[in-house]
């Protein structure tokens, strides 16, 4: 039985300082991502970049993770917006593949299931 | 050195309103998933479905994410239970592949490591 | 336009009781992982292992999830450290693939982008 159709989308996870949350949400909005979930009150630690050697996060920072699932064609706009930001601010971004059962919730992407010829 | 064996499992992540948590946990239990983790007090925003155009979540909603790792053969039962629910209630579900080091914690699935012929 | 280079890394997610957090952070540090993020105050439930039949977590436990993104060559050291621990303590670990835009934040791994011959 295959009653639930699955579609491949990209999950973008962005961890930044709480004070930078609005920048991330605005960026997702401008890139065309239609939804996001926020996990609050994270903590973390890490080194920052190749050369600098200073801390990515202080252990006292309050961090947030923003999770947004989107069609692959939106990911590059998000990365092009977030990468220069992360060169100056603390944070990380990672992208992975997920399957979703209803593509309509995550943006308007044409799929084979739409019956295109 | 390969002292730790890894097995591929599916990670199902379900984000719903806090008031719908019990429905999700009961569904996972009936599908045969043997464990889950809950992240509380998320927030989020998104549009709901293809046609409706109303909000997936209000920004004031308190959301929860339920993470459950299970053998692939259990995923369809979970999706068949959750998808009709998400047609009427706010929420999203996504499925991805993860490797786990001990399959026994995530349900009773036959594997080559069990020595099946 | 391909202005943002992506690299494949491994995301290791470890869920343990809050009291075991220091063990996990120390293990990541000794394995050479350069950063992590902690999600606090999770709850969960699950059965423990093949034979034991006792609870993985009690519903009253306060759990933490540690997320660490690292080069693949560090994963085995983490798993070799955490697996014996999880044979005696409650917890789970799973590993998945993620793409990151700047490998330098997650440890010192040679890549083609470094211009190695």
């Amino acid at each position: 039985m295959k009653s639930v159709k699955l579609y491949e989308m990209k999950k973008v996870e962005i961890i930044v300082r709480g004070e930078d949350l609005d920048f991330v949400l605005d960026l997702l909005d401008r890139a065309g991502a239609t939804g996001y979930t926020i996990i609050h009150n994270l903590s973390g630690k890490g080194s920052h970049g190749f050369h600098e050697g200073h801390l990515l996060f202080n252990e006292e920072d309050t961090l947030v993770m923003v999770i947004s699932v989107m069609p692959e064609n939106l990911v590059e706009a998000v990365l092009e917006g977030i990468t220069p930001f992360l060169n100056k601010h603390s944070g990380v971004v990672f992208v992975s593949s997920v399957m979703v059962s209803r593509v309509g919730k995550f943006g308007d992407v044409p799929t084979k299931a739409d019956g295109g010829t």
Side-chain angles (χ1 to χ4, degrees), chain A:
Chain A
M1 181 164 50
K2 285 284 170 193
S3 64
V4 176
K5 284 203 181 69
L6 289 175
Y7 304 85
E8 186 176 330
M9 305 282 279
K10 294 296 179 184
K11 180 165 72 161
V12 178
E13 295 168 290
I14 301 170
I15 301 172
V16 292
R17 287 202 183 105
E19 65 205 61
D20 294 326
L21 176 59
D22 285 346
F23 172 84
V24 171
L25 299 185
D26 184 56
L27 172 65
L28 290 173
D29 191 52
R30 283 184 285 118
T34 61
Y36 56 80
T37 304
I38 305 165
I39 308 179
H40 301 271
N41 294 315
L42 312 184
S43 56
K45 196 170 74 81
S47 60
H48 189 304
F50 285 98
H51 308 297
E52 301 98 318
H54 57 270
L55 281 177
L56 170 58
F57 298 122
N58 287 300
E59 292 187 65
E60 303 81 40
D61 284 340
T62 299
L63 311 176
V64 292
M65 177 187 286
V66 181
I67 303 169
S68 183
V69 172
M70 63 188 71
E72 183 162 16
N73 64 314
L74 300 186
V75 172
E76 185 151 343
V78 173
L79 291 178
E80 287 183 352
I82 197 75
T83 303
F85 180 85
L86 295 180
N87 283 330
K88 294 182 202 159
H89 297 76
S90 293
V92 291
V93 56
F94 24 92
V95 180
S96 57
S97 294
V98 293
M99 306 299 290
V100 302
S101 59
R102 294 190 304 157
V103 73
K105 282 201 174 179
F106 302 100
D108 195 18
V109 60
T111 69
K112 287 175 191 165
D114 289 343
T117 55

